[in-house]
Amino acid sequence: MSAPLLDVAGLSAAYGRAQVLFGLSLDVRPGEVVALIGRNGAGKTTTLKAIMGLIPASAERLAFKGQSIAGLSTYRIARLGLGYVPEDRRIFTDLTVEENLEVGRQAGQTGRSPWTPERLFRLFPNLAEMRGRRGNQMSGGEQQMLTIARTLMGNPDAILLDEPSEGIAPVIVQTMAEAVLAMKAEGVAVLLSEQNWAFAGAIADRACVIERGEMRFQGSMAEFLGNEALRAETLGV
């Protein structure tokens, strides 16, 4: 088994005096999709932000590609090859699809074939049809696809993907699933936060269930899908 690409142990974080994460541990290996599953407010987004250096956090170990990233600035973490796709998208709404992709362009650090606009247009055919359209003329789902595509233009080794299926049409959810599987096939590691366990179940290798900032379960996705009691307790389904 390959060594973890992203290795987190004892991760804690707080907003002011309110502690949100309590000693979380998880890891993601090359070409693996790990789903961080939980209700709204469970701490999923906070976990991704803490790993990415967007909020203050402490950890016994926070390493990417064998290098400690604890305390590093977000831009330095990104330059190491860790991509981040926030739930609120944050595309450049006054730029076109093609211009947004160019903003994200960065040479990769591995021997994989680089992501290019044409490769991404094959992955996201909807974007190919609107390459000259400005971001403010796109639907929420289309903006989500563009955010993922722009992140891939940075040729990351791993991606933190926050709630990719939230609030978008089912046909675009299917495109998102295909995109994640394409990343996996390229050897890109994916840590995604989701409350849609059915979506996560279609693409993830492993599940990490978080509840009130603590890790409740870690195991294979098959184990999680087969545990109805756990889903009922932690997701209300």
Side-chain angles (χ1 to χ4, degrees), residues 54-199:
L54 290 165
I55 60 172
S58 62
E60 297 167 17
R61 183 173 61 257
L62 182 55
F64 180 61
K65 297 197 290 191
Q67 175 180 336
S68 175
I69 57 174
L72 289 186
S73 300
T74 299
Y75 79 90
R76 292 182 62 189
I77 296 173
R79 285 180 179 175
L80 289 173
L82 184 57
Y84 173 60
V85 179
E87 183 182 4
D88 55 2
R89 293 148 192 160
R90 299 185 193 174
I91 64 166
F92 295 99
T93 55
D94 56 340
L95 299 182
T96 67
V97 167
E98 288 187 317
E99 289 167 343
N100 267 278
L101 295 180
E102 285 303 319
V103 168
R105 187 186 291 272
Q106 180 176 304
Q109 300 183 24
T110 66
R112 291 194 304 269
S113 298
W115 291 97
T116 63
E118 290 309 316
R119 282 189 72 197
L120 291 166
F121 288 147
R122 288 194 294 272
L123 186 60
F124 296 107
N126 302 55
L127 296 183
E129 297 171 3
M130 56 182 69
R131 61 183 70 196
R133 185 175 301 178
R134 295 188 185 278
N136 59 11
Q137 299 173 327
M138 302 171 72
S139 71
E142 291 162 351
Q143 289 183 0
Q144 182 74 302
M145 288 190 287
L146 178 56
T147 307
I148 294 174
R150 186 184 64 191
T151 302
L152 286 174
M153 279 292 291
N155 291 292
D157 297 299
I159 284 184
L160 308 180
L161 190 53
D162 195 8
E163 298 277 8
S165 73
E166 178 70 17
I168 59 177
V171 64
I172 295 183
V173 170
Q174 179 60 36
T175 301
M176 293 292 181
E178 292 167 0
V180 173
L181 293 175
M183 295 179 216
K184 177 180 177 178
E186 290 285 333
V188 177
V190 179
L191 174 62
L192 67 96
S193 78
E194 264 297 341
Q195 55 181 321
N196 182 343
W197 60 268
F199 172 78

